[in-house]
Amino acid sequence: MKSAVLVFPGINRERDMARALKLVSGHDAAMVWHADTELPNGTDLVVVPGGFSYGDYLRCGAIAARAPVMDAVRKFASGGGLVLGVCNGFQILCESGLLPGVLMRNARLKFICRDVHLRVERNDSPFTRGYTAGQVIKVPVAHGEGNYEADEDTVKRLESDGRVLYRYCSPEGEIGESSNINGAAASIAGIVNERGNVLGMMPHPENHVEDIMGCTDGRGLFAGLAAHLKRAA
């Protein structure tokens, strides 16, 4: 699995992501600067990591979405290439038009930094085949603007097309207001585009891939991607 991790000014999770990718795939990820206009040859997966690109000025992800490298990412995605955006990366993917909707301030207007539970809604996607449908996983979040919002028709379309891959839930897998940590529409934590090759999610699976962290629930996402690409090779 040949991965490319984008690096913007203010991004601070690129090394965490690169480490997770190497631990699972055995290969170093290429670090791609925001001013670059091309992705490395043979790239299988582009990752837009979390952090605070450009200091979150204007809107979260709005400036990064207009960086030169994003034209290459849009071209890569249009050709069917896999793209993963985590936290600020999710915001950037929405601002760049690769995913619908927008990430708003958390409903309680507070920064949230803790472990949360997610329900895996389906496992027939490259981003979820490392899990079972309905499985509950525990991963960290760290965001102030993770409240996913979209117009009613868009949310209905996401639901009817099965494009919600991850949803905030209770430890038992129940969906409800008490487990919806940021007020996201339909408890949405992660969605894919129409083609299913671009995923944006707010939680950080890259931080739960090693035993030393006390939980390895995030590992399934990366292992599933590696398995998918190996099968496609």
Side-chain angles (χ1 to χ4, degrees):
M1 183 168 73
K2 190 171 182 179
S3 306
V5 178
L6 305 190
V7 183
F8 300 91
I11 283 285
N12 60 15
R13 304 302 291 273
E14 73 276 11
R15 297 295 169 183
D16 304 69
M17 185 62 72
R19 178 175 174 82
L21 290 165
K22 184 174 183 179
L23 285 169
V24 174
S25 72
H27 300 284
D28 288 318
M31 310 305 285
V32 181
W33 188 234
H34 68 111
D36 290 346
T37 56
E38 294 183 357
L39 298 170
N41 289 333
T43 295
D44 297 312
L45 170 70
V46 173
V47 183
V48 192
F52 304 92
S53 59
Y54 298 93
D56 278 349
Y57 291 111
L58 188 58
R59 291 185 310 276
C60 296
I63 300 176
R66 290 153 178 81
V69 74
M70 292 306 297
D71 286 334
V73 175
R74 279 184 281 266
K75 182 179 179 181
F76 178 75
S78 69
L82 295 174
V83 180
L84 168 64
V86 173
C87 199
N88 191 212
F90 189 6
Q91 296 162 342
I92 293 169
L93 293 180
C94 288
E95 289 286 345
S96 67
L98 284 165
L99 290 173
V102 66
L103 282 305
M104 305 290 288
R105 289 287 303 277
N106 295 342
R108 296 174 181 82
L109 305 182
K110 292 183 179 180
F111 189 90
I112 303 170
C113 184
R114 62 181 177 88
D115 287 347
V116 301
H117 291 91
L118 304 178
R119 191 173 74 189
V120 181
E121 298 294 78
R122 45 183 285 205
N123 70 338
D124 57 348
S125 159
F127 302 101
T128 56
R129 65 178 65 252
Y131 302 112
T132 58
Q135 182 176 347
V136 176
I137 61 174
K138 184 172 70 173
V139 290
V141 295
H143 60 251
E145 292 86 11
N147 179 357
Y148 180 79
E149 295 294 341
D151 62 81
E152 186 176 348
D153 288 342
T154 297
V155 174
K156 285 182 179 178
R157 189 162 58 252
L158 291 172
E159 296 282 16
S160 63
D161 293 347
R163 290 166 55 190
V164 179
L165 297 193
Y166 296 98
R167 212 182 297 265
Y168 300 112
C169 69
S170 71
E172 295 74 34
E174 298 173 349
I175 307 299
E177 185 177 347
S178 61
S179 57
N180 188 355
I181 60 165
N182 50 35
S187 297
I188 289 172
I191 60 169
V192 289
N193 63 342
E194 290 184 12
R195 192 168 180 174
N197 62 309
V198 178
L199 169 68
M201 63 186 300
M202 285 310 297
H204 289 272
E206 73 274 16
N207 283 91
H208 273 182
V209 297
E210 298 181 80
D211 290 331
I212 195 172
M213 299 304 295
C215 181
T216 59
D217 284 0
R219 193 177 184 94
L221 187 150
F222 301 103
L225 284 169
H228 171 80
L229 289 166
K230 184 177 181 180
R231 182 179 302 177

